[in-house]
Amino acid sequence: MPVANKPVLFYGLEAIAEAGISEVGIIVGDTADEIREAVGDGSRFGIEVTYIPQEAPLGLAHAVLIAQDFLGDDDFVMYLGDNFIVGGITGLVEEFRTERPDAQILLTKVPNPTAFGVAELDGDGRVVGLEEKPKQPKSDLALVGVYLFTPAIHEAVRSIEPSWRGELEITHAIQWLIDEKKDVRSTTISGYWKDTGNVTDMLEVNRSVLETLEPRNAGAVDETSEIIGRVRIEEGARVSGSRIVGPAVIGAGTVVNDAYIGPFTSVSEDCRIEDSEIEYSIVLRGSSVTGVRRVEASLIGRDVEVTPAPRNPKAHRLVLGDHSKVQISS
C-alpha cells in the first residue's frame, strides 16, 4: 500500500538501512509474491533480504520463532511492516547497541489504548507489565511496532502458549522476560507514528508525507492548467485543462484532464482522472475516476473504475395540508 506513491514497507526498509542494519529477513504470507516483486533482493535499499515464509498469521512471537535460523545469536530489530515512524530508528538502535538490555520497546501515548498492546511502567519508568488489547488498560502507552532484542527472546517465544486468539503474542514473550527478571527497557516517542492498518490512518500518513513533498514537474502540463503549491508530476504524466492544488503527487503515465485534484492527494501511475474532482485521497495504479463530481477522503485500489451512476427518473409523491410550504432539492 503506497503513501505518497511509495509503499509503506519501503519507508521501514529505508529506516532500517539508515540505522546501519544490512541483513533483513522479511516474514511473508499470502502476499509473498507481491512483496518479492516490489522489494527484490534489497539492493536498492542497501540491504540483503531473506524471505521467511509464515504458513499463517500466527502472531509476532511466532514470526520470531520461525526466524531463529536466520537470526542465529545476533541482536536484532523487529519492525512491523505497516508502521510509519517519522525520524527513523537510528538513535534507538545506537542506544541499544551501547546499553544492550535484553529487550527494548518503543511506546507512545494514544487516545484508544484498548486497540493496542499496552505497557505499564513503575515509578522509575521501568516496564513492569504488558497487555495485548486490554479491556481496562493500565496506561495510555501503546507499543509502537518496533522492538529490539538480544537472543534472550528466543527462549521467551519457546516458553509461551498461544493466546485466546490462537497466536503467539510478542507481548506475552516480553512479559516472560520481565517475569524472569531480564532487563526490559522502553523509550517513549513523541514524534509522529501511525499503524497504517485502516483507511483513516493511511490517509493521515499520506497527508503527513505530502507535507514534506518537494515540487517537481517531469510530465507535460498544458497552458490551460493551473498548478498551485507543492505538486510533483512524474515522468510521462499529462495534465490538461485542469487545476491541481498541492501538496499532491501525480504518478508516471497518469492522465489528468478537465479535472480538479485537491490537497493531500496521491494518484499513482497509469491512472486517469477526467471531468472529476478529488481531494484528500489515495488512488492506486491503473485506476480511473471519470465524470464524478466530488471524491474526498477515499482510498481507491488498483485497476478500479469510478463513474457516475445511471440517472434514474425521480418523482416526489406529496400529500400536503393547506397553507404548507415545501422545499425540495432538485
Side-chain angles (χ1 to χ4, degrees), residues 169-248:
E169 311 283 1
I170 197 65
T171 47
H172 293 177
I174 299 171
Q175 184 65 54
W176 186 91
L177 293 175
I178 295 169
D179 295 341
E180 293 294 315
K181 309 303 182 185
K182 300 294 185 181
D183 186 5
V184 177
R185 303 184 190 179
S186 68
T187 299
T188 301
I189 62 172
S190 57
Y192 188 85
W193 165 76
K194 281 289 183 183
D195 177 349
T196 59
N198 60 59
V199 173
T200 300
D201 285 341
M202 279 294 299
L203 293 174
E204 173 61 19
V205 170
N206 190 63
R207 182 202 63 76
S208 178
V209 174
L210 289 178
E211 288 277 20
T212 66
L213 187 74
E214 291 294 329
R216 180 168 63 112
N217 181 11
V221 179
D222 75 354
E223 59 185 15
T224 66
S225 296
E226 188 177 14
I227 309 297
I228 301 171
R230 298 190 307 279
V231 176
R232 189 174 71 208
I233 301 173
E234 301 290 5
E235 187 175 351
R238 292 178 287 126
V239 179
S240 58
S242 298
R243 188 169 188 254
I244 303 176
V245 179

Side-chain angles (χ1 to χ4, degrees), residues 107 184 288-289 295 326:
L107 304 174
V184 177
S288 63
V289 180
V295 176
V326 178

Side-chain angles (χ1 to χ4, degrees), residues 7-201:
V8 171
L9 177 62
F10 286 12
Y11 292 96
L13 294 176
E14 289 169 354
I16 288 167
E18 288 169 4
I21 298 167
S22 58
E23 295 177 68
V24 177
I26 301 182
I27 306 294
V28 293
D30 293 342
T31 59
D33 291 342
E34 292 179 62
I35 293 174
R36 287 175 186 269
E37 181 182 356
V39 177
D41 63 2
S43 56
R44 62 186 290 188
F45 305 100
I47 58 177
E48 180 183 344
V49 169
T50 299
Y51 294 96
I52 304 169
Q54 187 180 35
E55 61 192 44
L58 298 175
L60 297 179
H62 182 264
V64 174
L65 189 67
I66 64 173
Q68 186 169 2
D69 288 344
F70 167 77
L71 295 167
D73 293 326
D74 290 340
D75 297 346
F76 66 97
V77 174
M78 181 164 71
Y79 194 121
L80 304 193
D82 59 356
N83 275 229
F84 186 89
I85 302 172
V86 169
I89 61 170
T90 300
L92 180 73
V93 170
E94 290 174 350
E95 179 185 347
F96 182 79
R97 282 174 171 154
T98 301
E99 302 292 334
R100 205 167 177 266
D102 293 297
Q104 187 158 347
I105 59 177
L106 258 65
L107 304 174
T108 191
K109 290 188 175 184
V110 295
N112 55 334
T114 56
F116 301 95
V118 174
E120 180 186 2
L121 307 183
D122 65 14
D124 296 323
R126 290 189 294 264
V127 184
V128 296
L130 296 172
E131 291 183 282
E132 186 65 32
K133 298 181 174 62
K135 292 182 179 179
Q136 295 181 322
K138 295 178 180 178
S139 80
D140 60 355
L141 293 171
L143 277 76
V144 174
V146 177
Y147 311 79
L148 297 96
F149 296 117
T150 67
I153 193 65
H154 295 304
E155 184 179 0
V157 299
R158 290 194 301 268
S159 301
I160 61 174
E161 297 294 331
S163 67
W164 62 271
R165 300 192 301 174
E167 298 184 5
L168 290 176
E169 311 283 1
I170 197 65
T171 47
H172 293 177
I174 299 171
Q175 184 65 54
W176 186 91
L177 293 175
I178 295 169
D179 295 341
E180 293 294 315
K181 309 303 182 185
K182 300 294 185 181
D183 186 5
V184 177
R185 303 184 190 179
S186 68
T187 299
T188 301
I189 62 172
S190 57
Y192 188 85
W193 165 76
K194 281 289 183 183
D195 177 349
T196 59
N198 60 59
V199 173
T200 300
D201 285 341

